[in-house]
Amino acid sequence: MTIDSNTIFPTMFNNDFRDIVNHKFTEYCEKGGRGSCKSSFLSTAIIWLMVNNPDFNALVLRKVADTLSDSVYEQLLWAIDVLGLTDRFKATKSPLRITYTKTGQRIIFRGADESKKIKSIKLKRGYFAITWFEELTEFSAEDVETIKLSTMRGGDKFWIFYSFNPPSSARNWCNEEFKVPRKNTLIHRTDYRGVPKEWLGQAFFDEALSLKERNERAYRNIFLGEPTGTGRNVFENVTLREITQKEIDSFDYCFYGIDWGYYPDPFAYVQMAYNPAKKTLYIFDELELLKHGNEQASNALEEHLLNWYGTDVNGHCKVNYKNDRIVADSAEDKSIGDFILYGWNIKAAIKGPHSREPGYKWLQSLNEIVIDPARAPHSADEFSLYEYEIDRKSGEILSGYPEGQADHCMSAVRYAMESVWRRRGG
């Protein structure tokens, strides 16, 4: 079977299709913006591979099983239709399956929330040569590796396909994983500008142009597939850059916060400064510790601050850092008591019901949160990666600040700055 790429998928995928046919790579990452036809391309490639290789079966995945029938299932039926093969395939919805009637080869659909069912799939013929992770950003890296271990067996050749719209955060695991080419993996980014206008319709192009005029960063992320820091990020005002020692020395006052932890949650200490005139927060020092009791954490923090401030000719710290007021999580009275005994000037944060919301709202209201990723890498990660959650069925963004995402340094920042954000007009 041959494919006329001028009518089936955009010509920007021609080289990719040739590489797939020749099995030049094992893994193929198709990432791009809205309307880039990456899913259409992969669906046609899957059908081609199956029709031309009688032992090949395909496993097609979304994170949640309920999303399969209205997305990848319909997409593959479209591919079968445009290839003129409708009479050769049988499609059923219960179970969700597409079968190539000539040989009995199957396209099986599963959600990563059905991992036990993935392991128990039995095939009448051949093996899973093809695995497609659609909307890869829905999965965790652990999901992907676990599934690949279950499917990549029983044959000599494998094709692993990934497709996704790059998240706005450059530090999202998908963006990090497929940032640069690597051995045995093809990485290809596309956008709607390579698609014939008549395929998408004028309204699509008008929408893209309108967004570009209103919000170019959002346009670049949504339509061009660039990680720009827009989208579901809770904190759109984060800037990652070096904060020079000259800047740090110019701050009149610094704030210090601690979020208690042992394992798997860490002990987190963060140092920052605030410029109220510019409504800008600067985060430039941190210490995270795992499996440190209170005395160990105190000693480690003393050593850290000794290195931070430096020593005089007599080997004494240049600054009496134990005079600095630290605000810590009030949930652990014993930890606060221990640190007072160790000589720290520490007080409990004023928490209470719903105390997270006003603190995070204040952080969102700032003109800028500047974080030095070299001096405070965990803070940089947390603020950059903190994203609103999405309802798994409707796809709608959920209101409220999500639980369960790493927020230890963010909590320390919130505690440290409570004297500012609790003041009206702070």
Side-chain angles (χ1 to χ4, degrees):
M1 183 183 74
T2 59
I3 287 181
D4 181 1
S5 64
N6 293 316
T7 59
I8 302 301
F9 52 75
T11 55
M12 60 186 174
F13 291 105
N14 283 355
N15 290 336
D16 296 42
F17 184 68
R18 186 162 47 248
D19 290 343
I20 288 171
V21 169
N22 295 319
H23 197 245
K24 186 174 180 180
F25 302 93
T26 297
E27 301 195 352
Y28 298 81
C29 171
E30 295 290 347
K31 58 180 181 176
R34 184 184 299 170
S36 60
C37 291
K38 52 191 178 295
S39 297
S40 300
F41 164 65
L42 287 177
S43 62
T44 55
I46 288 170
I47 300 303
W48 188 94
L49 285 171
M50 290 183 63
V51 169
N52 287 278
N53 297 276
D55 288 326
F56 288 6
N57 296 274
L59 177 64
V60 180
L61 301 129
R62 290 284 302 269
K63 174 66 174 179
V64 180
D66 288 349
T67 62
L68 290 163
S69 61
D70 293 329
S71 57
V72 281
Y73 178 76
E74 293 294 332
Q75 184 68 68
L76 281 153
L77 291 180
W78 169 88
I80 291 167
D81 179 61
V82 298
L83 292 171
L85 300 172
T86 302
D87 60 342
R88 302 190 194 182
F89 284 84
K90 178 183 178 182
T92 61
K93 283 211 165 183
S94 185
L96 199 64
R97 178 186 299 164
I98 298 174
T99 303
Y100 187 41
T101 54
K102 181 180 179 181
T103 59
Q105 293 164 267
R106 293 175 175 175
I107 303 174
I108 304 294
F109 300 85
R110 289 288 186 272
D113 54 346
E114 300 178 317
S115 57
K116 292 182 179 179
K117 292 184 179 180
I118 293 172
K119 293 180 180 180
S120 62
I121 295 173
K122 303 297 181 183
L123 295 169
K124 293 176 64 176
R125 175 174 184 163
Y127 66 102
F128 283 120
I130 307 156
T131 304
W132 179 15
F133 294 89
E134 167 70 327
E135 300 294 353
L136 181 66
T137 54
E138 298 174 351
F139 297 81
S140 69
E142 292 75 16
D143 288 335
V144 173
E145 291 306 313
T146 299
I147 292 167
K148 284 163 60 177
L149 287 172
S150 297
T151 60
M152 294 183 70
R153 57 190 181 189
D156 298 324
K157 293 182 178 180
F158 296 92
W159 286 258
I160 309 295
F161 297 140
Y162 307 103
S163 54
F164 65 98
N165 288 29
S168 57
S169 172
R171 290 176 176 265
N172 180 278
W173 80 268
C174 292
N175 289 331
E176 290 283 0
E177 181 75 9
F178 298 106
K179 184 163 53 178
V180 295
R182 61 177 190 249
K183 185 180 179 181
N184 216 24
T185 300
L186 173 71
I187 301 173
H188 185 211
R189 184 168 69 85
T190 53
D191 64 69
Y192 74 100
R193 296 173 298 180
V195 179
K197 184 172 288 187
E198 60 270 20
W199 290 17
L200 298 173
Q202 185 60 46
F204 182 95
F205 285 81
D206 291 343
E207 180 188 357
L209 180 61
S210 175
L211 183 60
K212 183 178 182 181
E213 292 173 347
R214 289 182 285 111
N215 188 335
E216 186 175 357
R217 285 207 312 163
Y219 162 79
R220 284 168 41 219
N221 176 242
I222 295 169
F223 285 97
L224 302 188
E226 299 177 9
T228 61
T230 60
R232 286 164 42 211
N233 298 68
V234 173
F235 299 107
E236 296 280 0
N237 52 352
V238 172
T239 298
L240 302 182
R241 68 164 176 84
E242 178 187 7
I243 300 175
T244 65
Q245 191 60 48
K246 184 178 180 180
E247 284 181 278
I248 295 171
D249 292 340
S250 72
F251 296 139
D252 291 328
Y253 185 79
C254 291
F255 298 83
Y256 312 87
I258 285 178
D259 187 48
W260 306 110
Y262 182 76
Y263 185 83
D265 295 331
F267 167 98
Y269 161 88
V270 185
Q271 181 180 179
M272 66 219 74
Y274 178 58
N275 185 327
K278 294 183 177 180
K279 290 194 70 175
T280 298
L281 181 69
Y282 301 86
I283 301 173
F284 48 85
D285 183 38
E286 69 178 22
L287 176 66
E288 274 203 359
L289 302 168
L290 286 171
K291 295 185 177 180
H292 279 60
N294 287 337
E295 186 174 4
Q296 290 175 298
S298 174
N299 293 338
L301 183 56
E302 285 197 58
E303 182 177 354
H304 173 80
L305 294 176
L306 188 65
N307 292 329
W308 172 264
Y309 291 113
T311 57
D312 58 23
V313 292
N314 297 316
H316 302 300
C317 188
K318 293 180 179 178
V319 174
N320 186 1
Y321 49 79
K322 287 198 172 181
N323 282 340
D324 295 329
R325 170 57 62 91
I326 300 173
V327 184
D329 184 358
S330 60
E332 292 196 31
D333 290 338
K334 181 181 183 302
S335 296
I336 291 173
D338 286 346
F339 264 59
I340 290 173
L341 288 175
Y342 303 145
W344 297 94
N345 180 10
I346 192 167
K347 61 169 282 190
I350 304 170
K351 291 183 72 174
H354 310 296
S355 62
R356 295 169 74 247
E357 286 78 2
Y360 283 158
K361 283 181 179 177
W362 178 79
L363 288 167
Q364 287 178 301
S365 75
L366 298 178
N367 290 335
E368 196 173 20
I369 301 173
V370 182
I371 307 175
D372 188 325
R375 297 177 185 266
H378 297 99
S379 298
D381 285 346
E382 288 185 14
F383 275 91
S384 298
L385 290 170
Y386 195 55
E387 295 183 338
Y388 289 110
E389 293 177 336
I390 288 182
D391 184 272
R392 301 202 300 183
K393 291 189 176 181
S394 69
E396 296 290 326
I397 294 177
L398 298 174
S399 62
Y401 299 104
E403 299 276 1
Q405 299 183 34
D407 62 355
H408 313 293
C409 291
M410 292 195 304
S411 293
V413 169
R414 182 163 52 87
Y415 303 144
M417 299 305 301
E418 73 171 10
S419 63
V420 177
W421 60 259
R422 286 186 181 276
R423 285 202 309 264
R424 183 175 298 175

